[in-house]
Amino acid sequence: MRTLAVIGAGAKGIAIAAKARALAAAGLGPPRVVLVERGTPAGTWTGDQGYTSGLLPLGTPPEKDVGYPYPESWGAASGAVTEAMMAYTWPRHLIARGTYADWVDRGRLRPAHREWGEYLRAVGAACGAEIVAGEAASLDIEDGHWRLGLAGGGLIDAAGVVLTGPGPPTQVPGQPRGHPLVLDGRTFWQHAGDLGQRAGSICVVGSGETAAWIVITLAQQCHERSTIDVLTSRGVLYSRGESYDENRFYSDPGDWPRLAESHRREFLERTDRGVFSVQAEATLNKLHGFRTLAGRAVALEAGQRQVVVTIGYGEDRERVAYDLVIVAMGFNSRWFEGLLGGEAQRRLAAARAGDDLERLIDVNLAVTGLEPPLHLPVLAGLAQGPGFPNLSCLGLLSDRVLRRYVPLPETAPQLSERSYRA
Ligand SMILES: Cc1cc2nc3c(=O)[nH]c(=O)nc-3n(C[C@H](O)[C@H](O)[C@H](O)COP(=O)(O)OP(=O)(O)OC[C@H]3O[C@@H](n4cnc5c(N)ncnc54)[C@H](O)[C@@H]3O)c2cc1C
């Protein structure tokens, strides 16, 4: 049986494992799915690994669970696949815990990240996800297969590899690691409990969802005489568009490739990148004690008592000293490039032929022209649909990936094999 290796037993990995189990139940022959996880499954959501306190609300409605939007990807077998996926829904999870009515009566609130992580782990257990403990440390191609090396030893051979996870926080030039006065979107949450004691000048760099919740937490917990500057390259904090017309592309990207590339890029800017959710906006609107500054953090110089931020806005440069700087500019979705060995790099470069990787993601969310397949849902937003990098259509994502390995029932609609380029 062929093996599909997924780096990360988080939302995407567990959704793929659940779908593979559902395909088996429906009589389709899925590959063996192996999830490689360096920490706790769904650990990003607990608060124990940074990234969140665990108590922040999920931005996405939980009804967009591991099977959503329950697409009919498997022809005559679609009904059986969906039936099998019903074992892994969010309502089913709450029913099993006896909290479904409570959740409905309270207005179907967004769960805390920690609760979402519990749901994912419950799905992983229910579908019998095969999880290998270890950190993916290297990835190369040998004899037509992926060879995934684990830190501390161990190899996994796979016909295909899926990369998941937000990646490490994006950095500003000069940003030191492990400095007590410089935190980031991951480490902030591991120190948030210590912030209430001292007044100080604080700079938050960034304007997305992570930055928004950091500002909210600071404004609620810091000493009342603290000042908080939020540095945003666009000069204004924007909230996400959440109209039906915007949301529908996240659930069902069928029409997405018909939009011109420039319009797809505009859509992603407007609804996804560097914007925050309406929940975060509603909370921010009630808060005082922070101000927005227009500019980019061009460089950081961290001393023992203060951190100097060089702020660039157009041609202007200004140096401002702060007592604490939190860099929350998002996460590096290209982190996987550091894993790739020589042969993988050579083949990836040949497949790209100088083009932008984001434009080359095919219907299976893999790099066009690269064999064996490397699935990069995190980069699939531009070419395939805005929901693939995040939690918006985990069921469709799983179908798109697994259809590369599962012989189609004759009646199933064929996926177009071309990648979409404007
Ligand atoms: C705090 C936070 C809140 C977010 N909220 C939302 C939201 O509400 N809605 C939304 O759509 N998106 C949200 N996102 C974006 C989010 O990154 C993705 O939507 C989501 O994580 C996708 O699931 P995933 O499986 O890719 O990642 P995760 O669920 O984070 O799982 C990735 C897993 O990979 C593991 N891992 C990483 N590197 C390695 C390695 N080298 N070896 C082995 N294991 C590894 C990690 O330990 C982790 O368990 C949020 C991101 C963050 C950081």
Side-chain angles (χ1 to χ4, degrees):
M1 186 190 282
R2 290 193 294 172
T3 297
L4 175 64
V6 183
I7 300 181
K12 293 184 189 120
I14 288 170
I16 293 169
K19 182 58 64 69
R21 174 50 66 99
L23 294 179
L28 303 171
R32 171 185 172 221
V33 174
V34 176
L35 312 183
V36 179
E37 174 55 57
R38 68 179 173 193
T40 314
T44 307
W45 306 95
T46 59
D48 299 338
Q49 298 179 14
Y51 288 112
T52 171
S53 64
L55 303 176
L56 302 179
L58 192 69
T60 302
E63 293 95 326
K64 294 196 175 187
D65 52 23
V66 295
Y68 186 85
Y70 298 92
E72 297 198 338
S73 306
W74 305 95
S78 292
V81 174
T82 299
E83 188 61 33
M85 286 301 292
M86 287 294 119
Y88 312 123
T89 66
W90 171 254
R92 186 69 175 256
H93 170 66
L94 296 187
I95 291 165
R97 292 159 46 97
T99 55
Y100 180 59
D102 185 76
W103 175 71
V104 172
D105 287 342
R106 288 178 191 277
R108 303 203 305 272
L109 298 175
R110 304 284 160 96
H113 287 160
R114 194 176 285 172
E115 294 172 280
W116 180 247
E118 282 167 19
Y119 160 67
L120 294 174
R121 274 191 295 284
V123 171
C127 73
E130 184 178 343
I131 300 176
V132 172
E135 175 161 17
S138 65
L139 185 60
D140 210 349
I141 297 170
E142 279 183 45
D143 301 329
H145 275 72
W146 285 109
R147 182 150 287 185
L148 178 57
L150 304 183
L155 288 171
I156 296 174
D157 279 331
V161 169
V162 187
L163 281 131
T164 72
T170 305
Q171 295 195 308
V172 172
Q175 185 177 334
R177 281 180 196 276
H179 194 286
L181 305 183
V182 182
L183 303 176
D184 59 37
R186 180 173 182 178
T187 57
F188 171 80
W189 304 102
Q190 293 160 327
H191 296 88
D194 316 331
L195 298 170
Q197 310 306 322
R198 37 184 190 161
S201 57
I202 302 172
C203 177
V204 178
V205 183
S207 55
E209 185 75 354
T210 298
W213 286 107
I214 287 172
V215 172
I216 290 167
T217 305
L218 287 169
Q220 290 170 340
Q221 292 188 8
C222 272
H223 193 282
E224 60 185 14
R225 284 203 290 274
S226 294
T227 61
I228 305 168
D229 287 348
V230 185
L231 194 57
T232 161
S233 54
R234 291 190 282 195
V236 178
L237 296 174
Y238 289 104
S239 63
R240 180 181 300 157
E242 296 245 3
S243 70
Y244 165 71
D245 206 33
E246 290 158 298
N247 286 343
R248 75 186 175 92
F249 279 113
Y250 279 84
S251 297
D252 176 7
D255 292 339
W256 178 252
R258 294 200 196 114
L259 292 178
E261 182 175 318
S262 60
H263 290 156
R264 281 181 269 141
R265 287 187 187 277
E266 189 181 327
F267 181 102
L268 294 172
E269 286 291 319
R270 174 80 183 83
T271 65
D272 197 27
R273 291 186 186 152
V275 292
F276 44 80
S277 64
V278 287
Q279 293 87 353
E281 182 191 33
T283 311
L284 271 176
N285 285 344
K286 293 181 207 142
L287 293 176
H288 298 278
F290 73 93
R291 64 176 181 161
T292 310
L293 291 185
R296 285 183 310 113
V298 179
L300 291 189
E301 294 158 60
Q304 280 191 337
R305 299 173 69 96
Q306 289 205 306
V307 184
V308 176
V309 183
T310 304
I311 300 173
Y313 192 58
E315 297 299 307
D316 297 337
R317 292 284 181 278
E318 189 185 1
R319 285 161 50 83
V320 184
Y322 290 97
D323 298 322
L324 178 67
V325 173
I326 300 136
V327 179
M329 301 189 305
F331 299 94
N332 178 10
S333 55
R334 306 286 281 260
W335 66 273
F336 64 88
E337 288 173 333
L339 295 180
L340 299 180
E343 180 61 12
Q345 285 184 26
R346 193 188 64 70
R347 290 202 200 183
L348 182 61
R352 285 180 63 176
D355 204 347
D356 177 0
L357 199 48
E358 286 186 85
R359 302 178 77 225
L360 298 174
I361 303 298
D362 69 14
V363 285
N364 302 116
L365 316 182
V367 181
T368 304
L370 177 63
E371 284 293 336
L374 180 64
H375 303 270
L376 300 174
V378 71
L379 295 184
L382 178 68
Q384 297 299 333
F388 291 119
N390 44 67
L391 304 176
S392 302
C393 57
L394 292 169
L396 183 61
L397 178 153
S398 313
D399 289 346
R400 292 279 197 102
V401 170
L402 287 164
R403 287 263 307 241
R404 181 82 179 235
Y405 306 90
V406 180
L408 294 180
E410 278 180 12
T411 49
Q414 300 295 315
L415 294 173
S416 162
E417 285 309 320
R418 74 188 172 93
S419 71
Y420 292 100
R421 303 177 193 221

